[in-house]
């Protein structure tokens, strides 16, 4: 291939921004730091981050928008940044891409009351409406104000949450537990799960392996 004068590869060659790549690299490091070697989380991470090595050919730029609940982001991220280990770098990398995100309420949230409607927001980072449009991996973020309960839900793709704040999770009728900042939650396909914030906002990244269901 002939390179332009100066020998630099043209910018248009790269469909994934450096900030987005740093976010992915930091997320993988944070997951691998806590996932063990050969357990289900490790295997799920291997599937997802291997697929993510290839940028999608469909880079998109959705309109960025915040919701009022996003006022909790700054202090929540600041708290995560003060933690030891790779979660601090992940908080930084997420903060760098956050201004590009299109925050929305959960589909159907109107039926769950004003308290929840005003107290939560989700955004897609990779996936159908993400910064990089792709079908094999769906990455997003959820934010909740204090004292908020996210509805129990289930979905065919397996899921890893990377927890960036205080907050509690549970599966099926198991007891609630608090993973802590940097903790992971793994949901096998179709398991019922929920999360709730306590006296501080809840912020978590989620990673869904959607390849096998072709969503
Ligand atoms: Fe989920």
């Amino acid at each position: 291939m002939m390179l332009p004068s100066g020998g630099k590869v043209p910018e248009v060659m790269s469909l994934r921004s450096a900030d987005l790549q740093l976010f992915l690299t930091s997320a993988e490091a944070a997951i691998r730091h806590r996932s063990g070697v050969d357990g289900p989380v490790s295997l799920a991470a291997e599937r997802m981050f291997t697929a993510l090595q290839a940028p999608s050919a469909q880079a998109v730029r959705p309109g960025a928008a915040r919701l009022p609940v996003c006022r909790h982001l700054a202090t929540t991220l600041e708290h995560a940044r003060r933690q030891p280990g790779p979660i601090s770098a992940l908080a930084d990398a997420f903060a760098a891409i956050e201004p590009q995100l299109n925050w929305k309420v959960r589909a159907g949230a109107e039926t769950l009351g004003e308290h929840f409607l005003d107290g939560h927001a989700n955004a897609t980072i990779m996936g159908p409406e993400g910064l990089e449009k792709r079908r094999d991996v769906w990455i997003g973020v959820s934010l909740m104000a204090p004292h908020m309960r996210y509805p129990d839900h289930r979905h065919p793709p397996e899921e890893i949450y990377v927890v960036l704040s205080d907050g509690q999770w549970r599966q099926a009728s198991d007891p609630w537990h608090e993973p802590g900042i940097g903790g992971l939650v793994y949901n096998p396909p179709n398991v019922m799960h929920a999360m709730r914030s306590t006296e501080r906002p809840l912020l978590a990244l989620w990673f869904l392996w959607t390849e096998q269901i072709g969503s």
Side-chain angles (χ1 to χ4, degrees), residues 153 155 159 161 187 193 208:
H153 64 285
H155 36 69
E159 178 178 43
Y161 283 96
N187 293 315
H193 54 282
L208 295 165

Side-chain angles (χ1 to χ4, degrees), residues 57-72:
Q58 293 179 281
V60 290
R61 282 287 171 270
R66 285 188 175 136
L67 293 178
V69 70
C70 294
R71 68 187 179 279
H72 293 293

